[in-house]
Amino acid sequence: MANQRPDWDPYFMSIAHVVKTRSSCSRRQVAAVIVKDRRVISTGYNGTPRGVPNCNEGGCPRCASDAPSGTGLGECICCHAEENAITQAALHGISVADGMMYVTISPCLTCARMIINAGIREVVFEGDYTFTEQTKALLDAAGVLCRRLGMG
């Protein structure tokens, strides 16, 4: 039987799906994987900042509440997966410039700004979060290729 090696995009997205299992968020598990020269250089998942009790331990009052999805986001203290992947690389002195980011859901506007300023050149995502026209236009204006996995 022939070895069925996955293409690069599904390979790195499958790694992101493993990374998201580390998320302690009680509402949604998300992950980001930053790749450079086809090598994983940083990963991140959503959750509370370093040193703060995890969501599932009551660390984020908004996540622990019964607030409907999409509401009270200004009260959420959690970091997004993209943010954590970028800051984790920075913490360890690893440049993400010219890298690619694989994310299990589309980036929000705030994460898009961080992606642009970090010098990431391409974002591959799977599901939808709040991928607004403004977010897409901003990434386009900055020259960041952004595509849904499987849709070129």
Side-chain angles (χ1 to χ4, degrees):
M1 181 179 245
N3 181 7
Q4 297 296 318
R5 295 176 70 198
D7 289 333
W8 290 110
D9 284 349
Y11 172 71
F12 290 121
M13 191 62 76
S14 69
I15 293 171
H17 280 281
V18 172
V19 171
K20 82 178 188 176
T21 66
R22 288 287 306 152
S23 171
S24 66
C25 184
S26 54
R27 291 181 174 249
R28 181 190 322 252
Q29 292 183 313
V30 182
V33 173
I34 302 175
V35 173
K36 206 167 177 181
D37 299 322
R38 295 187 172 159
R39 297 169 80 69
V40 173
I41 60 169
S42 187
T43 64
Y45 49 86
N46 60 323
T48 56
R50 183 183 309 266
V52 174
N54 290 318
C55 281
N56 59 1
E57 301 165 332
C60 179
R62 189 262 174 193
C63 288
S65 76
D66 60 356
S69 181
T71 65
L73 297 177
E75 299 301 312
C76 183
I77 65 167
C78 295
C79 302
H80 285 190
E82 301 94 326
E83 176 185 5
N84 277 332
I86 291 167
T87 58
Q88 189 70 353
L91 178 68
H92 295 286
I94 300 167
S95 173
V96 298
D98 297 320
M100 290 179 68
M101 180 180 279
Y102 289 85
V103 193
T104 55
I105 60 173
S106 56
C108 69
L109 183 60
T110 299
C111 287
R113 292 192 304 254
M114 283 186 272
I115 288 164
I116 292 164
N117 282 341
I120 292 170
R121 64 176 168 78
E122 185 173 354
V123 175
V124 180
F125 66 94
E126 213 169 44
D128 285 318
Y129 179 55
T130 55
F131 197 54
T132 64
E133 286 301 316
Q134 183 181 25
T135 302
K136 176 78 171 113
L138 182 65
L139 290 164
D140 286 346
V144 176
L145 178 63
C146 194
R147 59 188 171 86
R148 182 185 301 273
L149 183 63
M151 301 187 85

